[in-house]
């Protein structure tokens, strides 16, 4: 399995809201609350993924599910904004594991959340702080696809 790039997100984002999850039971509430935060309307649960909010809800759900299943609780989901761009940060307390793409798995075996994030987001990366591992995804309405991703993040030196 290959890894996603180790990089901190751009520093010019401001926190809008965060959610703390202890189990997968909170995922439905997270999806609804995030969608309402982004659009001001209720989340109906069925979407075409044509719009950025739907993509953000799907990616957030996938990353939070990964953190809850493979990380150490609690999982902290943070929504940040910079102008018309949004950044989602999903953190857990397992600082020893490295996020890896599930490229070798068959459909139906799960594990495609990171690949989905890379396909739907403008930029994706991960880093470790003192007590948490963070996986982040950046979204912009000006970039409907992740083609030509800018290198806006500073690389973290590997030790």
């Amino acid at each position: 399995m290959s890894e996603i790039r180790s990089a901190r997100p751009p520093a010019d984002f401001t926190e809008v809201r965060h959610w703390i999850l202890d189990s997968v039971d909170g995922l439905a509430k997270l999806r609804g609350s995030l969608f309402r935060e982004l659009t001001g309307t209720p989340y109906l649960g069925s979407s075409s993924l044509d719009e950025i909010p739907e993509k953000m809800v799907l990616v957030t759900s996938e990353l939070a599910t990964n953190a809850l299943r493979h990380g150490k609780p609690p999982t902290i989901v943070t929504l940040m904004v910079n102008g018309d761009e949004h950044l989602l940060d999903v953190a857990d307390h397992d600082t020893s594991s490295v996020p890896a793409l599930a490229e070798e798995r068959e459909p139906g075996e799960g594990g495609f959340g990171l690949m989905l994030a890379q396909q739907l987001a403008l930029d994706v990366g991960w880093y470790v702080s003192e007590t948490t591992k963070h996986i982040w995804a950046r979204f912009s309405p000006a970039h409907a696809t992740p083609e030509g991703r800018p290198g806006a993040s500073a690389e973290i030196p590997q030790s």
Side-chain angles (χ1 to χ4, degrees):
M1 283 195 255
S2 63
E3 299 174 6
I4 62 172
R5 72 186 180 97
S6 176
R8 290 192 178 266
D12 51 353
F13 282 80
T14 303
E15 181 176 333
V16 173
R17 183 153 181 209
H18 72 270
W19 297 263
I20 298 175
L21 304 170
D22 292 317
S23 72
V24 293
D25 295 337
L27 288 171
K29 187 174 181 179
L30 168 66
R31 287 188 289 268
S33 181
L34 173 61
F35 191 82
R36 184 175 294 279
E37 188 71 42
L38 294 168
T39 67
T41 61
Y43 180 60
L44 302 177
S46 60
S47 65
S48 63
L49 292 180
D50 289 335
E51 301 294 327
I52 296 298
E54 286 89 355
K55 292 176 184 179
M56 290 176 65
V57 167
L58 178 59
V59 168
T60 302
S61 184
E62 290 290 327
L63 296 180
T65 299
N66 285 351
L68 288 163
R69 288 189 177 152
H70 306 294
K72 292 181 183 174
T75 295
I76 304 161
V77 177
T78 306
L79 172 65
M80 293 177 262
V81 67
N82 178 13
D84 65 348
E85 288 192 353
H86 288 89
L87 189 126
L88 292 163
D89 181 280
V90 178
D92 70 69
H93 294 82
D94 178 7
T95 59
S96 64
S97 66
V98 174
L101 297 171
E103 297 171 313
E104 304 295 321
R105 293 187 188 155
E106 293 294 321
E109 290 184 12
F112 292 98
L114 289 172
M115 291 176 67
L116 188 64
Q118 287 189 320
Q119 290 175 359
L120 297 178
L122 174 63
D123 201 7
V124 178
W126 78 281
Y127 68 99
V128 174
S129 67
E130 191 173 309
T131 60
T132 51
K133 174 181 65 220
H134 299 258
I135 300 176
W136 56 269
R138 184 168 57 118
F139 295 86
S140 172
H143 298 91
T145 63
E147 296 173 14
R149 296 175 193 214
S153 303
E155 295 293 324
I156 297 175
Q158 300 296 312
S159 50

